[in-house]
Amino acid sequence: MRFHSAACAAVISAAAVSSASAFGFSPVAVPPRTIAQSSPKPHNHRLHPVAFLSSSSSRSFGMTSTTTTTTTATSAPSSSSTSLSLAAGGGPEALEEYAASFASISKSSKIQNPKLVKLAGAAALPLSYLAGAAMTPSRRLAARAIGGIVTAVAAGGVGKSAVEEDVRKGCPAAIARRLLELGLEDANVADGVERLREDYGVEEVDFVDMKTEVYGVYLQGMAKNPLLKTSEMKELTNLRNALRLTNQQLGQAHAEAAVKFFRDISRFASKEELADEDHPDRISLDKYLFLSERAFRQGGETEEAFTFEMSRIGKAFDGLTKEQCLERVENTAKPFYERALNSARSKLDSGAVNPEMLSRAKATLGLSDEVAHQMHIEEFAKEVRVQLGMPETDDEDDEEEDEFIEDEEGNLKLVEREVKDTSGIKFQEGAFERLSKLQEVLSLSDIEGDLEISSTVTEFWCNTALAVMNDAIAKTKSPDKAWSIIEKRQKELFLQDSSMKKLLTQITIQSLGTMLEKTRLFADVGNQAATVNGLNDLIEAKNICKEVLTHGGWKEFDDFEATIFDPNDTSSACGFLSPSVRYNMHRLYFYRSISKGDAGKKKVSDETMAKLQEVQKILGVPESEINFEYKQYFCPDLQKALTAATEEVAKGNATSALVDTYKAEIQQMKADYRLDNDMVVFYSAPLYNEALYKIAGKAPGGIPTKDDVNTLKCLQDLLDIDEVNAQRVASEVFADTYKKAIKEALGSTGIIAEEYRKPLDDLKDRLGMSEEECREIYVRAMSEKFKPMVEFISNEMERLVLTQDQLSQKRGIDYGEDYFKSGKSASGKLGLGTEGNIMRDIMNLIDFYTENDLIEKREVGTKKIEKKIPAEEEGGEEQTITEEVPVYENTYPITALSSGAITEQLAELCYRQFLVSSFTEQGPNAARYEASKGTWGGILGLSSAKMEEIGSNIGGMVYDNYITQMMGSKGALDQQDMMFLANVQAKLGITAEEGEDLMLKTQTKVLSEEASVLFGSEKEPSPETIKAFREKCNSLGLDLQNDIGISKARLVDLFQYEIGPGINSGDITNDDGDLIDEIRDSLGLAEEEGEEVIESIISTRSRGLLAEAKSFVLRGMAADAVARLKELVQYAAFVDGDLGLAPEKSDAQKMYFSFAASDFEGLDEETVEKQKVLLKTALGIPDVE
């Protein structure tokens, strides 16, 4: 009989100690230090892990209780398994130590095969099961299990739950060992790990927790080593696949491990150390964040889930935000990508690198496009420096600090540094091709590449260009030579034209600005000579710089002064100076430049003027300041000369010779002083105004004499006063004089007589006033006469249309009976009072307006007209051409409404009154009234639309009354009526379309009223009445439903009323279909609607006739029955006998036989036979003979 070694060991142990203590079930937990110390190194062959037994009820999967006990003599202090206590290796080393921490507990456990537990069934097994299983002589595990059960029952022992707990706690270590034995890249590692769950009998949810714990241990071990390797990202991915973790489980593993990792790190590192980016522990934390971010992104997490997972890790790392976490991730990834970029540069000539490779590296490291692109630019900049023969970065270049020295007055001054010689720095041979290739690999645009080159070489080019420009200004180099050096240096440094233009501008500004700053020092102390010399040197230097720049053929420098000397730009050559400083420098130059001619007279030469203009541009002095300087310096002399000349001419009896003498003196002064005409007029205009007022004050009646007029013309010539300004001043001076003359010419009639018009025109010329000003004064004078006339008409209109009480209430005055001409209230045609004779007053106002030429014509557009051209020669053809001519519109400068003399309501009443009077007038004034309608409306201030509206309203009233009367008496309008309406239309200014619309509306109204009478009568309307009404509507083209407003139901009634009596009487038979259709169409009924009416009439009448015939037959009154049946046959003819009647067969036969036996005298045999057939069909007895 064979005994297994494990069984023997179990039996011996059971005999030696109690079952509780023999199998390790001690109330005291194994100390962590003992576990850590006794952990052996893992073997190469596969081992079955042993569960770690704990008295704690929590599932810590290797996490021991805080309870401690006395250690063995060989135990040494060690870290708890909850702290990693890792070497500097990585994930595998962490797994080895993690698995080794279970070794001592595995040895103390007596259960080496976890599958035995599963065979024990649901019952609790005593611990003596082990001995029974070992001693049962059977090769089969099942047989041994049965034997073990029997032995266990006999011997007693521990329960099954304790055994399962022992097995379950060994599972995490088994997972770790399985990963180490197979390796993460083994194709079967995932299945191998999954089988451990079955081997150890672990529930799925517990197994997931174990896998996440193992993953966390591996992750912490990897992060503990500060050195980050790109292969670790793939390593983590393989670990996740081996453990078959979902995104949610992966996030949980990272979050839980983050808590433990940060707790372990923070035990030994201070916050200051963790804030130091170069500290190893800070680097480990950043590495953990980087690995986590890559794991989440590569796992395909949604943005929301990614934010959640990173926020959990940030919270564990002392409350970092998501943004802070991602910033540290980016800083961790950058060095790797920088190494990739360095590698790309080193392998550039081999052709082994391309943009796709960098894109893959960027994606692997999770860098954003923006960050990667910026790194590309920085890498390109490094290569630019290398190709220039310089170190990659300028960190090695020590920046010299600014040095200051103290002058004699104790002020600090900056010590100018010695400019380094950079003329030897230039691109190596082949640099352009290498940079172009690198630019392509780095996916940089031409603009970005040029910008990096420009930013690197700008200083070197500027050093050369500035020195050359200063040499050109110092005249040691010609402009041609200077430009050739600048252009050569540009090519050596690959500098683009666009960049060089900006730099040249800055260099020119610097060179000229420096000279201007030195000149400013002289101006500040009032040194005129040095200031003038400095500005002259600056003019010469400016011209040299301009000549150098123009060699490049750039149009940007055509307006050189505006570009370089912009006073509004503080970075320009003069913008750094305040306006007051610049104006002062110009003033010094101006005063110093003025020379004294013969007899000590001031004079500005052409050369001086040219320089002054250049200095003005250099200093950015505006024209207003220049004018001020000229006025201050020259104008006292000018004003003195102008005043003397004006006083002499104003004495009177001025001659052209006198004027020419003074004018020549003034012109010479203008030439010497370089004064423009505007500056002369600035002083001459007030002198002319003063002289004009003096002359007007002395003139008799305010009207200047002929000598005064001559004096004024001489002054205008002398002082260069243009006609517009002279007329403007004259209008101010003589406006009242001209207005007084107009009022005197009006006289009592209010109309200027013809003999006064020419004197008024002569007066206008003598006063020197413009046509526009005179017209405006003329209109103002007329308005003073116009307004009272309008007010009078307004008052008369109120008196005509208002009652005594209404007028008293409106005006607040009690008027007696005699105020109203009739002594009664207002009355008249069309609701307007016409008893008062205000037409005379209105016509007087119209005459006032027209006779005084107040109506003005204004061009409002153009129109094309056809014009006939006579034949040029006899026998030739007449030609027609199209010509565009202006269109004019009458305008009214003063109106009743604009003057405030009348309200809008009264203005409309006045116009209405005028139209009514012109319409009703039959006397000699009719034509005059008719012609004045538009003028009267314009004088009132009414628009064309408003006048048309009022005319239409009156026309509507006339049309309504007349048409109603004529249609009431004659039924329709004849030719004479139409002629009358056309006359009304012409008189009231109604268009043809409006007249037609008014007539249609009135006719519709009349017929609508007739329709109301038609249906309002208690008696049913006769067919003749309906026919007449219908035909009247049809003749006028009116639709009974849409125009007259008769409803569909009433139209059906009209149809029934018109055809019903005819059908009943026999006047309308089945042969009269055309007549029925005509009536139906005339009423606007559809064919189906007409058929329904006819069927209703026939059906109703037929049923009545049948009942009467039946009654007569039953009473033996055959003759009366036959009369009813003959009428019934008439209705049957409409529907081919199908009347829908259903009499009793016996009654039907009796009625038929009575009909057949009746007298058919006067009818042919065919007609009689047809009636019999119709009756049989109607009675439902077609087969009766």
Side-chain angles (χ1 to χ4, degrees):
M1 186 180 296
R2 277 176 58 187
F3 292 89
H4 292 279
S5 59
C8 292
V11 172
I12 295 170
S13 298
V17 295
S18 66
S19 61
S21 60
F23 293 95
F25 289 92
S26 173
V28 181
V30 180
R33 294 196 302 273
T34 304
I35 297 173
Q37 180 69 21
S38 59
S39 298
K41 294 290 182 182
H43 300 288
N44 292 329
H45 60 280
R46 185 178 301 177
L47 299 176
H48 291 289
V50 181
F52 172 58
L53 307 179
S54 174
S55 60
S56 173
S57 61
S58 63
R59 295 178 296 175
S60 61
F61 310 125
M63 299 288 290
T64 62
S65 171
T66 56
T67 308
T68 57
T69 186
T70 306
T71 61
T72 60
T74 59
S75 298
S78 178
S79 301
S80 170
S81 61
T82 56
S83 317
L84 292 179
S85 302
L86 302 174
E93 289 77 4
L95 285 186
E96 288 179 2
E97 186 170 345
Y98 176 74
S101 66
F102 293 88
S104 60
I105 301 177
S106 299
K107 291 181 178 181
S108 65
S109 175
K110 306 303 184 291
I111 301 175
Q112 299 298 319
N113 191 349
K115 288 187 178 181
L116 296 178
V117 179
K118 298 170 65 176
L119 298 174
L125 299 180
L127 201 56
S128 55
Y129 157 79
L130 297 174
M135 291 185 291
T136 302
S138 174
R139 294 173 180 262
R140 295 181 177 276
L141 180 61
R144 294 203 309 274
I146 295 172
I149 293 171
V150 173
T151 305
V153 169
V158 295
K160 177 190 173 187
S161 60
V163 176
E164 289 182 339
E165 182 70 9
D166 191 27
V167 173
R168 185 177 62 80
K169 289 197 174 183
C171 191
I175 296 173
R177 293 184 186 281
R178 183 62 53 88
L179 294 172
L180 291 170
E181 291 168 359
L182 296 179
L184 299 180
E185 297 183 358
D186 191 284
N188 301 316
V189 64
D191 294 335
V193 170
E194 192 63 30
R195 282 196 298 271
L196 293 176
R197 184 178 68 82
E198 300 178 2
D199 291 347
Y200 281 82
V202 179
E203 296 293 335
E204 176 65 27
V205 62
D206 295 334
F207 195 64
V208 168
D209 290 344
M210 296 175 185
K211 290 191 294 182
T212 56
E213 181 175 348
V214 170
Y215 180 93
V217 169
Y218 197 98
L219 174 61
Q220 293 177 76
M222 185 179 287
K224 192 70 174 178
N225 184 356
L227 180 62
L228 176 63
K229 296 176 289 184
T230 55
S231 60
E232 289 177 322
M233 291 181 285
K234 183 179 180 182
E235 196 175 330
L236 270 185
T237 301
N238 292 336
L239 175 62
R240 174 189 178 174
N241 295 335
L243 296 175
R244 291 177 178 171
L245 298 180
T246 65
N247 283 352
Q248 185 177 2
Q249 294 163 0
L250 182 75
Q252 187 66 25
H254 277 261
E256 292 177 351
V259 174
K260 300 175 184 178
F261 188 66
F262 186 77
R263 184 175 58 199
D264 188 57
I265 289 288
S266 59
R267 287 177 179 174
F268 306 103
S270 64
K271 288 188 176 182
E272 291 75 13
E273 290 173 330
L274 295 181
D276 182 5
E277 296 180 356
D278 297 327
H279 193 275
D281 289 335
R282 165 62 183 268
I283 296 174
S284 293
L285 291 177
D286 292 346
K287 179 179 179 181
Y288 189 98
L289 289 170
F290 172 77
L291 293 174
S292 299
E293 188 271 345
R294 287 291 78 212
F296 298 150
R297 288 297 190 193
Q298 292 172 355
E301 287 281 21
T302 64
E303 191 60 33
E304 293 79 4
F306 175 80
T307 300
F308 172 73
E309 299 297 353
M310 288 302 296
S311 298
R312 286 210 293 176
I313 295 176
K315 184 178 181 181
F317 282 13
D318 202 23
L320 295 178
T321 64
K322 173 192 171 184
E323 290 71 23
Q324 291 173 323
C325 292
L326 294 181
E327 182 181 357
R328 291 168 69 162
V329 167
E330 180 181 290
N331 293 335
T332 304
K334 278 184 177 180
F336 288 94
Y337 195 62
E338 188 174 351
R339 287 199 291 271
L341 293 176
N342 288 332
S343 176
R345 267 207 299 143
S346 63
K347 299 176 182 178
L348 188 62
D349 295 331
S350 67
V353 293
N354 54 62
E356 289 72 22
M357 294 175 60
L358 293 178
S359 296
R360 289 194 295 271
K362 178 190 68 175
T364 301
L365 295 170
L367 284 174
S368 65
D369 292 340
E370 295 78 9
V371 172
H373 190 72
Q374 184 59 37
M375 294 181 70
H376 288 189
I377 293 175
E378 294 171 357
E379 197 67 24
F380 186 81
K382 293 178 182 178
E383 184 63 25
V384 170
R385 294 178 64 86
V386 170
Q387 294 303 315
L388 287 170
M390 302 167 61
E392 286 189 354
T393 62
D394 55 1
D395 295 340
E396 301 175 7
D397 300 338
D398 295 331
E399 294 187 3
E400 298 181 8
E401 295 184 358
D402 293 335
E403 295 183 9
F404 295 88
I405 60 174
E406 188 173 345
D407 58 14
E408 297 177 356
E409 299 178 358
N411 299 319
L412 293 178
K413 289 188 176 181
L414 178 65
V415 178
E416 294 186 2
R417 299 182 197 163
E418 182 181 354
V419 179
K420 295 182 180 179
D421 183 13
T422 58
S423 59
I425 298 178
K426 60 183 178 180
F427 282 105
Q428 305 170 5
E429 185 177 355
F432 182 81
E433 291 75 12
R434 180 172 175 81
L435 289 175
S436 298
K437 189 181 299 183
L438 180 61
Q439 178 183 330
E440 182 181 355
V441 170
L442 297 177
S443 301
L444 299 179
S445 66
D446 291 341
I447 295 177
E448 291 170 327
D450 293 340
L451 182 61
E452 287 307 310
I453 292 175
S454 175
S455 63
T456 304
V457 305
T458 293
E459 179 185 354
F460 314 137
W461 181 88
C462 286
N463 291 340
T464 300
L466 183 60
V468 171
M469 190 68 77
N470 288 335
D471 290 344
I473 293 173
K475 299 181 180 180
T476 58
K477 284 186 176 65
S478 67
D480 290 344
K481 180 64 176 177
W483 176 253
S484 64
I485 296 174
I486 290 173
E487 193 173 31
K488 178 184 177 182
R489 189 59 172 150
Q490 174 193 4
K491 294 177 181 178
E492 290 178 347
L493 297 176
F494 299 166
L495 195 62
Q496 296 295 322
D497 284 351
S498 57
S499 300
M500 193 171 78
K501 290 176 185 178
K502 297 178 182 178
L503 295 173
L504 276 173
T505 302
Q506 296 171 1
I507 288 173
T508 305
I509 289 174
Q510 182 178 350
S511 298
L512 299 180
T514 302
M515 296 180 66
L516 185 60
E517 172 64 18
K518 293 178 180 178
T519 305
R520 174 255 181 100
L521 299 177
F522 298 119
D524 287 345
V525 296
N527 189 339
Q528 287 189 357
T531 301
V532 170
N533 292 335
L535 289 174
N536 286 333
D537 293 341
L538 185 58
I539 292 173
E540 187 176 4
K542 179 206 72 169
N543 293 331
I544 292 174
C545 291
K546 187 175 182 179
E547 187 177 353
V548 172
L549 297 181
T550 52
H551 274 80
W554 295 335
K555 294 183 179 180
E556 287 82 351
F557 296 111
D558 288 349
D559 195 0
F560 183 86
E561 287 78 5
T563 304
I564 305 300
F565 299 100
D566 184 0
N568 299 317
D569 184 2
T570 56
S571 61
S572 72
C574 69
F576 67 95
L577 297 175
S578 66
S580 60
V581 172
R582 291 185 281 111
Y583 299 168
N584 180 55
M585 294 176 70
H586 183 275
R587 198 173 298 115
L588 291 174
Y589 191 91
F590 173 74
Y591 292 156
R592 186 78 175 185
S593 301
I594 303 302
S595 61
K596 297 290 182 71
D598 298 338
K601 291 184 178 180
K602 302 171 185 175
K603 186 176 182 179
V604 180
S605 64
D606 293 342
E607 181 183 358
T608 301
M609 192 65 194
K611 286 189 176 182
L612 282 172
Q613 291 174 348
E614 288 203 66
V615 170
Q616 178 186 354
K617 294 178 180 179
I618 288 175
L619 295 175
V621 180
E623 285 295 327
S624 59
E625 177 64 22
I626 299 298
N627 292 336
F628 175 77
E629 291 178 2
Y630 271 63
K631 289 176 184 178
Q632 290 288 102
Y633 196 76
F634 294 116
C635 287
D637 296 341
L638 174 65
Q639 187 174 18
K640 182 179 179 181
L642 288 172
T643 302
T646 301
E647 290 176 351
E648 186 62 31
V649 173
K651 291 178 182 179
N653 298 322
T655 62
S656 58
L658 177 65
V659 173
D660 291 343
T661 301
Y662 282 113
K663 192 172 183 180
E665 292 180 4
I666 295 172
Q667 291 298 328
Q668 184 62 45
M669 187 175 292
K670 284 174 60 179
D672 291 342
Y673 295 172
R674 301 285 175 161
L675 302 177
D676 56 24
N677 193 60
D678 291 340
M679 190 168 294
V680 175
V681 172
F682 179 80
Y683 290 99
S684 65
L687 293 173
Y688 177 79
N689 296 350
E690 183 180 356
L692 179 60
Y693 274 99
K694 287 181 179 179
I695 290 174
K698 294 185 298 182
I703 300 175
T705 64
K706 290 183 178 181
D707 183 59
D708 293 336
V709 172
N710 178 63
T711 299
L712 291 173
K713 289 187 177 299
C714 290
L715 287 174
Q716 292 172 18
D717 185 22
L718 171 68
L719 300 176
D720 205 9
I721 304 298
D722 58 45
E723 185 180 6
V724 174
N725 286 320
Q727 290 177 345
R728 178 184 57 79
V729 179
S731 298
E732 295 175 359
V733 176
F734 298 117
D736 292 339
T737 301
Y738 187 65
K739 183 177 180 182
K740 179 182 178 183
I742 293 172
K743 288 184 176 182
E744 291 175 352
L746 284 173
S748 59
T749 61
I751 297 174
I752 298 178
E754 187 65 30
E755 60 267 21
Y756 293 132
R757 294 188 179 275
K758 189 175 185 309
L760 278 176
D761 291 339
D762 294 340
L763 177 62
K764 176 187 65 177
D765 295 337
R766 177 176 289 188
L767 297 177
M769 299 169 63
S770 66
E771 289 285 346
E772 295 77 11
E773 291 289 343
C774 289
R775 180 64 180 175
E776 186 177 341
I777 296 171
Y778 181 81
V779 171
R780 287 203 302 266
M782 289 297 175
S783 66
E784 295 180 5
K785 183 74 173 178
F786 171 82
K787 187 173 181 180
M789 298 173 70
V790 175
E791 290 175 343
F792 178 80
I793 294 173
S794 174
N795 291 335
E796 284 296 300
M797 181 57 64
E798 286 182 342
R799 193 167 66 86
L800 289 173
V801 300
L802 299 178
T803 66
Q804 179 181 359
D805 292 339
Q806 289 173 336
L807 188 63
S808 297
Q809 183 178 2
K810 183 178 186 299
R811 298 185 181 177
I813 301 174
D814 185 13
Y815 295 100
E817 291 289 340
D818 57 340
Y819 185 80
F820 296 88
K821 295 179 178 180
S822 64
K824 300 178 182 179
S825 61
S827 61
K829 299 177 181 179
L830 305 178
L832 294 172
T834 57
E835 295 184 17
N837 188 16
I838 66 169
M839 289 300 292
R840 181 183 60 198
D841 299 320
I842 292 176
M843 292 308 299
N844 287 339
L845 180 57
I846 292 175
D847 291 341
F848 168 82
Y849 213 96
T850 55
E851 294 294 331
N852 288 319
D853 294 329
L854 286 173
I855 299 177
E856 299 173 354
K857 289 187 178 297
R858 181 181 62 185
E859 185 175 343
V860 294
T862 59
K863 67 177 180 179
K864 292 183 178 180
I865 61 171
E866 291 185 351
K867 187 177 181 181
K868 294 187 179 296
I869 305 297
E872 295 182 357
E873 57 185 15
E874 187 175 356
E877 294 184 358
E878 184 181 60
Q879 295 181 349
T880 302
I881 62 172
T882 302
E883 194 176 72
E884 193 168 356
V885 297
V887 177
Y888 293 98
E889 177 183 79
N890 287 341
T891 60
Y892 299 83
I894 50 174
T895 64
L897 287 174
S898 64
S899 67
I902 195 172
T903 64
E904 187 172 356
Q905 183 181 11
L906 272 176
E908 294 177 9
L909 283 174
C910 287
Y911 185 71
R912 187 187 298 271
Q913 176 66 49
F914 192 89
L915 290 185
V916 172
S917 298
S918 65
F919 174 70
T920 58
E921 178 65 35
Q922 302 296 326
N925 290 325
R928 189 179 177 209
Y929 290 170
E930 179 70 22
S932 301
K933 290 185 299 183
T935 304
W936 175 234
I939 292 173
L940 289 171
L942 299 178
S943 64
S944 299
K946 178 57 70 175
M947 287 187 278
E948 290 179 7
E949 179 186 340
I950 295 172
S952 298
N953 291 340
I954 296 175
M957 296 170 63
V958 174
Y959 269 62
D960 186 87
N961 291 335
Y962 185 80
I963 294 174
T964 301
Q965 293 174 9
M966 294 302 101
M967 291 186 68
S969 60
K970 297 187 290 187
L973 301 178
D974 54 23
Q975 185 65 27
Q976 184 177 358
D977 297 328
M978 300 303 293
M979 291 178 62
F980 174 79
L981 292 176
N983 183 40
V984 172
Q985 178 179 318
K987 281 194 170 187
L988 295 177
I990 300 173
T991 63
E993 294 78 8
E994 291 173 339
E996 184 178 348
D997 185 57
L998 287 173
M999 185 168 64
L1000 182 61
K1001 288 181 179 178
T1002 303
Q1003 291 172 336
T1004 301
K1005 174 188 172 186
V1006 171
L1007 292 174
S1008 297
E1009 292 174 353
E1010 288 187 20
S1012 299
V1013 173
L1014 199 64
F1015 289 103
S1017 177
E1018 295 182 359
K1019 294 178 59 178
E1020 185 178 297
S1022 66
E1024 293 76 13
T1025 304
I1026 296 173
K1027 179 181 179 182
F1029 174 74
R1030 175 172 54 79
E1031 290 179 347
K1032 186 186 297 184
C1033 293
N1034 294 154
S1035 66
L1036 296 175
L1038 299 176
D1039 185 272
L1040 291 169
Q1041 182 176 2
N1042 297 327
D1043 296 329
I1044 307 303
I1046 301 175
S1047 66
K1048 179 68 74 173
R1050 289 197 167 186
L1051 289 175
V1052 171
D1053 291 342
L1054 289 178
F1055 182 61
Q1056 183 175 341
Y1057 294 156
E1058 187 169 355
I1059 68 170
I1063 293 175
N1064 293 336
S1065 64
D1067 294 337
I1068 297 177
T1069 65
N1070 193 36
D1071 296 332
D1072 298 320
D1074 292 341
L1075 175 62
I1076 295 173
D1077 288 342
E1078 179 188 347
I1079 297 172
R1080 177 182 54 75
D1081 290 339
S1082 177
L1083 292 172
L1085 297 177
E1087 185 176 353
E1088 295 79 6
E1089 293 171 331
E1091 291 176 355
E1092 289 178 3
V1093 172
I1094 294 174
E1095 289 175 2
S1096 176
I1097 294 173
I1098 293 174
S1099 176
T1100 303
R1101 187 60 180 158
S1102 297
R1103 285 195 298 272
L1105 291 171
L1106 179 63
E1108 292 177 6
K1110 176 182 176 182
S1111 177
F1112 285 132
V1113 168
L1114 293 177
R1115 288 173 174 76
M1117 300 170 66
D1120 294 329
V1122 169
R1124 301 299 185 273
L1125 291 173
K1126 286 183 177 181
E1127 190 176 349
L1128 183 64
V1129 169
Q1130 293 177 3
Y1131 288 110
F1134 280 96
V1135 292
D1136 294 331
D1138 186 13
L1139 294 174
L1141 303 176
E1144 295 291 337
K1145 188 173 184 180
S1146 59
D1147 295 335
Q1149 289 176 348
K1150 290 177 182 179
M1151 287 185 285
Y1152 175 75
F1153 291 142
S1154 297
F1155 179 80
S1158 65
D1159 183 12
F1160 293 102
E1161 184 179 358
L1163 297 177
D1164 58 44
E1165 185 176 348
E1166 183 180 357
T1167 302
V1168 173
E1169 188 62 30
K1170 184 178 180 181
Q1171 289 184 355
K1172 289 180 180 180
V1173 172
L1174 285 173
L1175 182 59
K1176 286 192 291 182
T1177 302
L1179 296 175
I1181 50 173
D1183 299 330
V1184 175
E1185 296 295 336

